[in-house]
């Protein structure tokens, strides 16, 4: 039923070929490196949408630190959101003091966990 | 296209697949719609599942289920930034056993059982909305498609998109759910056995308090899979907000703690994931679990029990699915899918371990909201034991060390009250 228009290829087939060895003690794997371990099929349209004017007025901006994928960032005082790399947990929706337009990606899109 | 099923199930998790398995066995025409590209693709779980409910329902469970390891050692570790104090129970758990599993693989297996029983599971379909006629649910929409059924079992998981549309529950508040993050790290099977002193097929379930959450409400976990380790941190969202926890890096701080680093230093990370967990126990369950033509099962209904020492949800989800299926079968025979007819589901749940267990530990979630268990006690315990084990010219007895460490952080009265409360309610 679900068409696959707008698919980017799965960005990463993980499992047998881990990208990176764990480093020395104290060396953190960056969130970008960890997201690189997740297989995604990215949809052409974002499944979570911010309302610019609401976000601009928002003081607490909890999204900047509670998102486990660090997809919310601040640029020139504006909140930017990158839906690619979304782990689909829902934390931002729960933490957001405003009403966030949150949904799952379309069927078949988003993260494909193998060890979830 | 207008197809009509006896039942449509939203979500191929443990709850949805439990309902489908039983309905298929009854010979009803059932379809499970799963938004993941395959069954299990959206699941994230710490690792431990209790056996009892599955074994009772699926006779070939022990022979077939994708078990990583059977839990042989239970551990609780209290941690500060440098040290760790561990309590370990080594025992014969055969009377009440549990196993460690990768939920993605476990649900894939459950999906096969459903198909073997004659049920239909379609992955890649996200249910967008419900079709209601005169207030009664008659089916679902997914993109441009419409599917009709006598009844919908909503087992969508923790994010209540559909249940909200049905008016059956509100969204969770930050103090009712926790965010869990997990890394799976590949090490060899022999290394797992050597490090944890395990025989083949035996595993360790290790929970952590203190440093892993940066002293916020929640805990860390480590489960030994066959040749991988699941390492995770779970933090209640209100506490992550209050302490301004950088949730995206918390797992890496935990992995780099000396106690964990020496276990995993030869491993390679193979996956990172995140998911929400209901934390409120009985109080997180919505007042109505059924509506006209719809029932809620699993996480969306809040059926997770956190006792501090143990957390269980997958078996309760599966059982709630079975009970939903029993209810639907009775409704099918009576030809009545009204709220009144389906309300026997709520009775069935109340007479099952889903409610009896949640009821027995109903004060646990309040107690587990006490920040001292995450902040004060792990740090004081590590510091006191370190000093007590330190031998030198000015060695001291435990009591004066304890009083020194408690000074300004904790009164004796508060500590005694907390200990009594923990022993009574957990």
């Amino acid at each position: 039923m679900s068409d696959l228009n707008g698919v980017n290829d799965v960005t990463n087939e993980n499992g047998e070929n881990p990208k990176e060895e764990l480093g020395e003690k104290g060396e953190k794997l960056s969130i970008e490196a960890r997201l690189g371990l997740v297989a995604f099929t990215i949809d052409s349209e974002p499944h979570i949408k911010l309302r610019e004017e609401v976000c601009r007025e928002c003081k607490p901006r909890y999204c900047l630190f509670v998102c486990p994928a660090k997809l919310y960032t601040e640029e020139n005082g504006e909140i930017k959101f990158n839906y690619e790399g979304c782990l689909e947990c829902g934390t931002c929706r729960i933490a957001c003091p405003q009403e966030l337009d949150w949904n799952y990606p379309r069927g078949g899109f988003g993260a494909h966990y193998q060890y979830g | 296209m207008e197809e009509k099923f006896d039942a449509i199930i939203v979500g191929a998790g443990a709850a949805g697949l439990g309902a489908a398995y039983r309905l298929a066995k009854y010979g009803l025409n059932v379809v499970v719609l799963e938004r993941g590209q395959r069954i299990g693709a959206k699941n994230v779980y710490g690792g431990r599942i209790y056996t009892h409910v599955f074994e009772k329902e699926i006779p070939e469970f022990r022979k077939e289920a994708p078990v990583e390891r059977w839990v042989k050692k239970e551990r609780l570790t209290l941690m500060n930034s440098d040290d760790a104090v561990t309590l370990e129970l080594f025992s014969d758990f055969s009377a009440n056993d549990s196993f460690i599993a990768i939920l993605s693989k476990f649900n894939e297996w459950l999906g096969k059982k459903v198909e073997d029983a004659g049920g239909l599971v379609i992955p890649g379909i996200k249910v967008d909305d419900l079709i209601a006629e005169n207030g009664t649910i008659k089916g679902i929409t997914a993109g441009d498609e419409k599917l009709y059924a006598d009844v919908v079992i909503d087992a969508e998981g923790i994010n209540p998109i559909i249940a909200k549309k049905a008016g059956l529950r509100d969204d969770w508040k930050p103090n009712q759910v926790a965010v869990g993050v997990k890394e799976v790290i590949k090490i060899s099977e022999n290394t797992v056995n050597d490090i944890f002193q395990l025989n083949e097929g035996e595993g360790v379930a290790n929970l952590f308090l203190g440093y892993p959450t940066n002293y916020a409400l929640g805990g860390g976990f480590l489960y030994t899979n066959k040749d991988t380790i699941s390492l995770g941190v779970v933090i209640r969202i209100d506490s992550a907000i209050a302490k301004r926890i950088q949730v995206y890096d918390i797992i890496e701080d935990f992995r780099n703690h000396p106690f964990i680093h020496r276990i995993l230093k030869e491993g390679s990370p193979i996956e990172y994931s995140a998911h929400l967990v209901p934390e409120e126990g009985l109080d997180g369950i919505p007042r109505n679990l059924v509506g006209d033509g719809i029932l809620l099962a699993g996480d969306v209904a809040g059926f997770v029990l956190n006792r501090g020492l143990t957390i269980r949800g997958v078996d309760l989800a599966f059982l709630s699915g079975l009970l939903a299926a029993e209810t639907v079968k009775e409704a099918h025979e009576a030809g009545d899918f009204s709220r009144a007819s389906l309300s026997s589901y709520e009775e069935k749940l109340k007479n099952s371990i889903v409610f009896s267990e949640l009821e027995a530990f109903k004060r646990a979630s309040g107690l587990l909201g006490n920040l001292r268990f995450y902040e004060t006690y792990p740090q004081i315990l590590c510091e006191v034991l370190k000093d007590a084990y330190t031998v030198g010219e000015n060695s001291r007895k435990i009591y004066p060390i304890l009083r020194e460490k408690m000074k300004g952080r904790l009164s004796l009265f508060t500590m005694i009250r907390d200990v009594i409360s923990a022993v009574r309610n957990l």
Side-chain angles (χ1 to χ4, degrees):
Chain A
M1 273 195 234
S2 88
D3 66 303
L4 292 177
N5 289 335
V7 180
N8 291 338
D9 284 341
V10 170
T11 54
N12 174 38
E13 282 295 348
N14 64 356
E16 297 311 309
N17 299 304
K19 285 268 190 245
E20 207 168 332
E21 298 291 313
L22 290 176
E24 292 298 304
K25 178 170 153 34
E27 276 182 36
K28 286 192 203 174
L29 281 178
S30 69
I31 182 61
E32 291 78 13
R34 276 174 282 141
L35 291 179
L37 299 169
V38 184
F40 289 106
T41 304
I42 311 288
D43 202 350
S44 52
E45 283 291 313
H47 55 282
I48 299 171
K49 293 178 189 122
L50 310 191
R51 286 175 295 162
E52 269 179 37
E53 51 306 348
V54 175
C55 295
R56 196 176 297 131
E57 299 301 316
C58 179
K59 289 275 189 307
R61 301 193 167 183
Y62 302 136
C63 53
L64 296 176
F65 60 90
V66 297
C67 171
K70 203 185 181 185
L71 299 178
Y72 294 84
T73 51
E74 219 164 16
E75 267 174 51
N76 305 320
E78 305 255 322
I79 294 181
K80 300 284 174 203
F81 171 68
N82 177 14
Y83 71 97
E84 300 173 16
C86 178
L87 301 170
E88 300 162 40
C89 62
T91 305
C92 58
R93 189 191 74 250
I94 307 292
C96 181
Q98 314 297 332
E99 197 134 311
L100 188 61
D101 183 1
W102 191 99
N103 217 319
Y104 286 123
R106 284 192 293 156
F109 288 90
H112 313 298
Y113 293 125
Q114 297 181 37
Y115 300 92
Chain B
M1 180 180 79
E2 205 174 285
E3 268 184 80
K4 170 105 186 270
F5 290 89
D6 291 324
I8 293 170
I9 297 169
V10 184
L17 293 172
Y21 180 73
R22 195 50 99 69
L23 287 170
K25 290 238 150 167
Y26 291 146
L28 296 187
N29 184 17
V30 56
V31 62
V32 185
L33 303 175
E34 163 56 42
R35 68 185 184 90
Q37 195 185 48
R38 47 161 226 289
I39 300 171
K42 303 297 185 183
N43 295 127
V44 179
Y45 185 60
R48 178 227 296 269
I49 300 174
Y50 290 89
T51 310
H52 180 71
V53 176
F54 291 98
E55 196 162 33
K56 210 168 148 193
E57 183 68 16
I58 307 175
E60 60 278 23
F61 166 82
R62 220 166 256 270
K63 213 167 60 206
E64 288 183 9
V67 169
E68 294 284 324
R69 288 170 182 266
W70 292 91
V71 174
K72 184 66 184 168
K73 296 179 179 180
E74 302 274 4
R75 286 183 177 175
L76 176 66
T77 301
L78 284 80
M79 246 183 192
N80 67 12
S81 57
D82 304 306
D83 306 324
V85 177
T86 298
L87 187 67
E88 176 177 305
L89 172 66
F90 168 88
S91 180
D92 171 15
F93 292 103
S94 55
N96 173 33
D97 57 1
S98 64
F99 59 95
I100 298 163
I102 304 286
L103 190 57
S104 295
K105 295 178 184 171
F106 187 75
N107 281 344
E108 213 170 350
W109 172 76
L110 274 182
K112 287 202 184 82
K113 302 311 295 178
V114 170
E115 284 166 357
D116 290 348
L120 181 62
V121 186
I122 311 180
I125 307 283
K126 186 185 74 164
V127 172
D128 293 317
D129 208 344
L130 296 164
I131 300 169
E133 284 169 21
N134 303 321
T136 299
I137 305 304
K138 297 283 185 189
I140 61 93
T141 67
D144 300 331
E145 303 282 347
K146 287 183 173 152
L147 280 185
Y148 292 87
D150 287 330
V151 66
V152 172
I153 297 175
D154 178 12
E156 63 186 314
I158 181 78
N159 289 302
I161 311 290
I162 301 301
K164 256 161 66 180
K165 289 183 175 172
L168 285 175
R169 80 163 303 145
D170 296 329
D171 210 340
W172 301 93
K173 296 190 174 59
N175 63 351
Q176 296 179 309
V177 276
V179 50
V181 292
K182 180 171 92 162
E183 274 180 26
V184 176
I185 291 150
K186 177 116 181 155
I187 55 178
S188 77
E189 185 174 354
N190 284 338
T191 311
V192 176
N193 293 345
D194 290 348
I195 293 173
F196 294 96
Q197 296 177 306
L198 299 165
N199 292 327
E200 196 186 332
E202 294 176 347
V204 174
N206 200 162
L207 296 186
F208 297 81
L209 291 176
Y211 179 77
T213 59
N214 204 357
Y215 312 109
L217 286 177
F221 63 79
L222 182 155
Y223 293 103
T224 54
N225 302 314
K226 188 159 184 260
D227 56 3
T228 60
I229 299 283
S230 291
L231 186 75
V233 178
V234 179
I235 306 183
R236 219 167 76 180
I237 293 180
D238 60 331
S239 195
I241 290 172
K243 287 185 172 268
R244 301 192 75 80
I245 305 288
Q246 296 185 332
V247 174
Y248 50 83
D249 267 350
I250 194 90
I251 185 81
E252 283 294 297
D253 292 332
F254 181 31
R255 188 178 61 73
N256 277 300
H257 188 284
F259 182 87
I260 299 295
H261 184 264
R262 58 201 300 283
I263 295 172
L264 296 177
K265 62 186 173 194
E266 281 163 25
S268 318
I270 52 175
E271 195 167 84
Y272 176 65
S273 53
H275 206 275
L276 295 180
V277 195
E279 285 277 305
E280 242 207 341
L282 209 55
D283 294 337
I285 298 174
R287 192 180 313 143
N288 295 312
L289 293 165
V290 299
D292 291 316
I294 186 168
L295 307 88
L296 304 184
D299 270 5
V300 73
F303 299 147
V304 170
L305 174 60
N306 182 354
R307 286 177 57 188
L309 293 176
T310 58
I311 297 155
R312 62 194 286 202
V314 176
D315 62 332
L316 301 183
F318 186 74
L319 180 57
S320 71
L322 299 178
L323 297 175
E326 281 177 23
T327 309
V328 165
K329 180 190 175 231
E330 290 163 11
H332 181 81
E333 284 162 357
D336 179 0
F337 297 93
S338 68
R339 175 196 296 254
S341 164
L342 296 176
S343 66
S344 70
Y345 174 52
E346 294 168 343
E347 289 308 308
K348 290 183 175 68
L349 284 164
K350 281 178 183 140
N351 295 326
S352 76
I353 62 162
V354 176
F355 269 70
S356 66
E357 287 284 287
L358 283 165
E359 183 72 36
F361 296 97
K362 68 178 172 193
R363 293 179 67 187
S365 72
L367 178 76
L368 294 171
N370 178 346
L371 200 54
R372 285 187 293 278
F373 288 111
Y374 312 90
E375 206 169 44
T376 317
Y377 295 120
Q379 300 194 71
I380 288 183
L381 186 65
C382 287
E383 291 169 27
V384 167
L385 281 180
K386 189 169 183 178
D387 281 14
Y389 277 102
T390 300
V391 173
E393 288 179 2
N394 298 311
S395 304
R396 292 182 297 160
K397 290 180 184 165
I398 290 175
Y399 190 69
I401 300 172
L402 180 64
R403 290 319 300 256
E404 179 205 301
K405 303 294 182 193
M406 286 167 66
K407 209 171 170 186
R409 297 156 95 183
L410 181 67
S411 75
L412 198 57
F413 174 72
T414 303
M415 185 176 84
I416 292 167
R417 208 181 49 190
D418 283 346
V419 169
I420 291 171
S421 167
V423 174
R424 272 196 187 152
N425 295 318
L426 291 186

